[in-house]
């Protein structure tokens, strides 16, 4: 556990969380409907942010667990850390925030999160935090724009008008109209190769039996070739060989 | 003895620059330099290291604005850059005044960690930086509880052409003055409220 126990988790406003997420999340973007932000502080400074909020497509997601009330679940929709924090900090922070949610918002029965296996990882941290794998889907929604920026196609209509207009123009589309992902693809965008993995954590373990989709064994990730770790396509068995520069530095000490 | 500076390339960017700059601010800066030429000056030290204006130098280099006019000073006189080709009371002069302010405002993204590391918290605070510390924040929160009363989801199946027209109408409806004063019955979904406005107007028209 090392220094993980020294990490202080605080509830922080979006004005503090968002700049940190933009700087440290691989996407460089925030999710606009996040409603609860936690900051992870160590040695007096902010080194991590976990943002929770309702899912964008709440009416679809809610059916994953039978009889879930409208406000009965949350999505962990952004998690960003800098390299200052010690190993295992991510799962430590997830655990700490889930405990705070259990205590202060008992109406929340489960938390969903998605691992982006096209650019980031297949959810090592979620598995370490006792999330259940409930979906491995070949990516159909994250698209690569002609300028190289990756965008979740489903959220294009929810982007700031200036951002949407920029993407529309990149694909030769009229910014005053709405488009489907296929319109952007016809305009030069490409669907990113890889998988998206859906994980669920049951804050109230009794609700696990209400899951309406099968639980998937973690071994399925390698069987499907969906493994990704720190942006590299690698099966789970080879993970221990990959270390970040900060990790190597820590181990030298 | 101060270094002789004859060209932009004689200047050395600050590798520890506190300002990370923003993409939008850099675009505004480039637009401004292209449209109006150089406005305010930059600041360098006696060895040609850039103290202020790293972004301007980088952008100027990118658009081949590489000639420089050096004013040597010890800080006891204000350096006034006089544009001999412009009047303030002209559309161009006024736009340049706006461009000067907005490029500064939109181009700033200060690296607080770097400031704290280099100068410490006290100086960072003295210069108006908000230091983020865990003591400023609590550990309590509340989230909406219970069911969303009276809110239902309506799904419609449409052809692509119908959907396009429908979505365009929803968007137009949100721009209407009536949309601002619409009875929402507690619904916060913008598309739902826009659809309700369209349906209400259609019903009124048939009366």
């Amino acid at each position: 556990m090392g220094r993980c126990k020294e990490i202080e988790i605080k509830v922080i406003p979006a004005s503090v969380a968002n700049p940190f997420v933009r700087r440290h999340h691989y996407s460089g973007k925030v999710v606009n409907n996040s409603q609860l932000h936690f900051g992870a502080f160590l040695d007096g400074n902010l080194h991590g942010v976990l943002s929770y909020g309702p899912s964008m497509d709440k009416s679809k997601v809610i059916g994953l667990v039978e009889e879930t009330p409208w406000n009965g679940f949350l999505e962990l929709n952004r998690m960003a850390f800098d390299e200052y924090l010690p190993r295992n900090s991510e799962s430590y922070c997830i655990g700490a925030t889930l405990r705070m949610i259990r205590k202060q918002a008992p109406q929340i029965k489960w938390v969903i999160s998605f691992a982006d296996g096209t650019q980031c990882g297949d959810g090592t941290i979620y598995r370490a935090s006792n999330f259940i794998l409930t979906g491995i889907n070949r990516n159909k929604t994250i698209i690569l724009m002609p300028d190289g920026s990756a965008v979740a196609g489903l959220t294009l209509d929810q982007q700031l008008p200036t951002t949407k207009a920029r993407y529309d123009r990149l694909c030769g589309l009229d910014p005053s109209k709405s488009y489907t992902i296929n319109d952007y693809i016809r305009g030069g965008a490409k669907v990113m190769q890889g998988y998206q993995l859906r994980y669920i954590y049951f804050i109230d373990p009794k609700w696990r039996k209400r899951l309406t989709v099968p639980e998937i064994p973690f071994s399925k990730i390698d069987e499907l070739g969906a493994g990704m770790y720190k942006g590299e396509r690698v099966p789970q068995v080879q993970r221990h060989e990959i270390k970040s520069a900060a990790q190597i530095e820590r181990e030298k000490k | 003895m101060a270094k002789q500076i004859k060209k932009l390339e004689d200047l050395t960017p600050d590798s520890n620059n506190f300002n990370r700059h923003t993409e939008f601010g850099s675009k505004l800066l480039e637009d401004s330099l292209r449209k109006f030429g150089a406005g305010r000056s930059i600041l360098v030290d006696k060895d040609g290291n850039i103290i202020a204006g790293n972004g301007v130098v980088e952008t100027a280099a990118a658009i081949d604005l590489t000639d420089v006019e050096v004013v040597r000073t010890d800080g006891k006189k204000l350096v006034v850059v006089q544009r001999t080709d412009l009047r303030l009371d002209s559309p161009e002069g006024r736009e340049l005044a706006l461009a000067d302010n907005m490029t500064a405002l939109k181009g700033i993204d200060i690296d607080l960690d770097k400031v704290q590391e280099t100068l410490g918290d006290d100086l960072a605070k003295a210069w108006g930086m908000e230091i983020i510390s865990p003591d400023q924040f609590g550990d309590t929160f509340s989230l909406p509880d219970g069911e969303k009363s009276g809110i239902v989801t309506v799904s419609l199946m449409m052809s692509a052409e119908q959907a396009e027209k429908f979505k365009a109408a929803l968007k137009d409806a949100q721009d209407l003055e009536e949309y601002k004063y619409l009875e929402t019955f507690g619904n916060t979904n913008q598309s739902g409220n826009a659809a309700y406005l369209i349906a209400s107007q259609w019903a009124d028209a048939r009366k």
Side-chain angles (χ1 to χ4, degrees):
Chain A
M1 189 58 69
R3 294 188 67 213
C4 282
K5 282 184 178 169
E6 294 171 35
I7 296 173
E8 282 182 83
I9 302 289
K10 297 285 182 176
V11 179
I12 58 173
S15 58
V16 172
N18 288 347
F20 186 94
V21 171
R22 284 196 190 96
R23 217 158 42 243
H24 295 287
H25 193 263
Y26 72 92
S27 73
K29 295 179 187 126
V30 297
V31 177
N32 288 328
N33 63 340
S34 295
Q35 60 184 180
L36 176 60
H37 307 273
F38 294 101
F41 292 84
L42 185 61
D43 299 330
N45 289 318
L46 181 66
H47 293 291
V49 167
L50 300 95
S51 298
Y52 292 84
S55 295
M56 287 277 191
D57 47 356
K58 197 170 177 178
S59 51
K60 278 186 201 159
V61 174
I62 200 167
L64 290 172
V65 181
E66 223 167 37
E67 293 175 39
T68 302
W70 186 253
N71 290 317
F73 76 102
L74 280 178
E75 182 172 323
L76 169 55
N77 46 31
R78 277 291 180 269
M79 196 164 48
F81 296 90
D82 67 17
E83 295 213 326
Y84 185 86
L85 294 178
R87 275 188 78 180
N88 303 322
S89 296
E90 294 92 340
S91 48
Y92 175 84
C93 292
I94 289 179
T97 57
L98 290 172
R99 282 191 294 278
M100 288 167 81
I101 292 170
R102 176 183 292 144
K103 192 172 172 191
Q104 298 185 53
Q107 72 274 24
I108 304 296
K109 304 301 179 191
W110 50 278
V111 168
I112 190 167
S113 199
F114 294 88
D116 175 7
T118 68
Q119 305 170 77
C120 182
D122 57 32
T124 310
I125 297 164
Y126 300 129
R127 295 194 294 279
S129 305
N130 296 322
F131 276 68
I132 294 160
L133 178 62
T134 67
I136 306 177
N137 295 312
R138 189 170 277 283
N139 173 52
K140 289 179 192 156
T141 56
I142 300 175
I143 52 177
L144 195 65
M145 289 292 174
D147 69 343
S149 47
V151 191
L154 288 176
T155 65
L156 269 161
D157 269 347
Q158 283 140 1
Q159 301 280 345
L160 291 172
T162 48
T163 311
K164 179 184 170 294
R166 185 163 68 83
Y167 293 139
D168 291 348
R169 278 193 281 270
L170 277 171
C171 297
L173 300 168
D174 172 2
S176 66
K177 293 182 181 168
S178 292
Y179 298 100
T180 62
I181 289 175
N182 285 337
D183 295 323
Y184 291 99
I185 289 167
R186 277 192 287 274
K190 288 184 181 134
V191 173
M192 293 196 72
Q193 295 302 304
Y195 290 82
Q196 287 176 286
L197 299 95
R198 185 181 62 210
Y199 289 90
I200 290 181
Y201 180 86
F202 284 95
I203 290 186
D204 184 340
K206 291 196 291 290
W207 282 63
R208 186 167 174 171
K209 58 177 185 282
R210 302 189 191 198
L211 188 66
T212 58
V213 292
E215 293 183 17
I216 301 171
F218 297 149
S219 57
K220 196 80 182 166
I221 297 171
D222 279 354
E223 279 174 46
L224 289 172
M228 176 169 272
Y229 187 63
K230 294 183 189 294
E232 304 285 333
R233 285 194 190 290
V234 275
Q236 294 176 70
V237 288
Q238 292 172 11
R239 300 292 157 85
H240 64 279
E241 293 162 17
I242 300 177
K243 292 172 181 174
S244 68
Q247 242 174 296
I248 294 164
E249 196 56 36
R250 271 197 298 267
E251 284 171 15
K252 275 188 202 161
K253 287 177 187 169
Chain B
M1 174 112 176
K3 180 182 175 179
Q4 288 285 331
I5 297 164
K6 291 180 179 161
K7 284 273 181 195
L8 206 64
E9 65 202 36
D10 295 331
L11 306 178
T12 309
D14 178 7
S15 57
N16 198 34
N17 189 8
F18 295 140
N19 187 6
R20 287 180 289 240
H21 298 108
T22 67
E23 201 182 324
F24 183 55
S26 300
K27 182 199 166 295
L28 289 183
L29 187 56
E30 185 178 333
D31 290 350
S32 176
L33 284 175
R34 282 188 191 281
K35 189 164 184 181
F36 304 110
R40 260 197 282 179
S41 55
I42 65 152
L43 179 65
V44 303
D45 72 0
K46 61 193 289 189
D47 300 317
N49 297 306
I50 303 167
I51 297 173
N54 284 276
V56 176
V57 170
E58 195 183 316
T59 310
I63 64 169
D64 279 335
L65 187 65
T66 52
D67 281 343
V68 296
E69 181 80 46
V70 178
V71 178
R72 293 182 168 217
T73 176
D74 58 4
K76 294 193 175 100
K77 283 182 194 164
L78 191 67
V79 177
V80 179
V81 178
Q82 183 178 25
R83 284 285 293 256
T84 53
D85 59 329
L86 274 178
R87 287 183 64 86
L88 170 62
D89 278 330
S90 66
E92 202 186 12
R94 284 290 168 203
E95 192 182 339
L96 176 53
L98 176 66
D100 179 75
N101 284 310
M102 294 310 288
T103 49
L105 180 71
K106 299 289 183 184
I108 294 283
D109 178 18
I110 298 291
D111 187 337
L112 179 60
D113 292 344
K114 205 178 262 182
V115 175
Q116 284 175 287
E117 247 169 56
T118 314
L119 297 173
D121 285 2
D122 290 344
L123 276 177
K125 272 187 212 164
W127 287 103
M129 300 213 59
E130 203 180 318
I131 307 292
I132 299 165
S133 115
D135 304 333
Q136 291 168 258
F137 308 107
D139 48 15
T140 58
F141 60 89
S142 65
L143 290 171
D145 194 358
E147 289 288 343
K148 216 178 184 186
S149 60
I151 302 292
V152 293
T153 304
V154 179
S155 304
L156 304 168
M157 194 164 289
M158 293 181 181
S159 70
E161 293 79 7
Q162 288 171 327
E164 190 177 330
K165 197 161 193 174
F166 184 68
K167 283 182 184 173
L170 291 183
K171 207 165 196 179
D172 287 348
Q174 287 174 42
D175 293 332
L176 293 175
E177 194 63 15
E178 297 94 306
Y179 180 79
K180 292 182 195 164
Y181 308 105
L182 185 71
E183 173 57 80
T184 62
F185 305 99
N187 184 20
T188 53
N189 183 282
Q190 293 180 347
S191 296
N193 285 327
Y196 174 71
L197 174 60
I198 294 167
S200 305
Q201 289 189 337
W202 181 80
D204 288 345
R206 283 176 57 88
K207 276 181 190 167

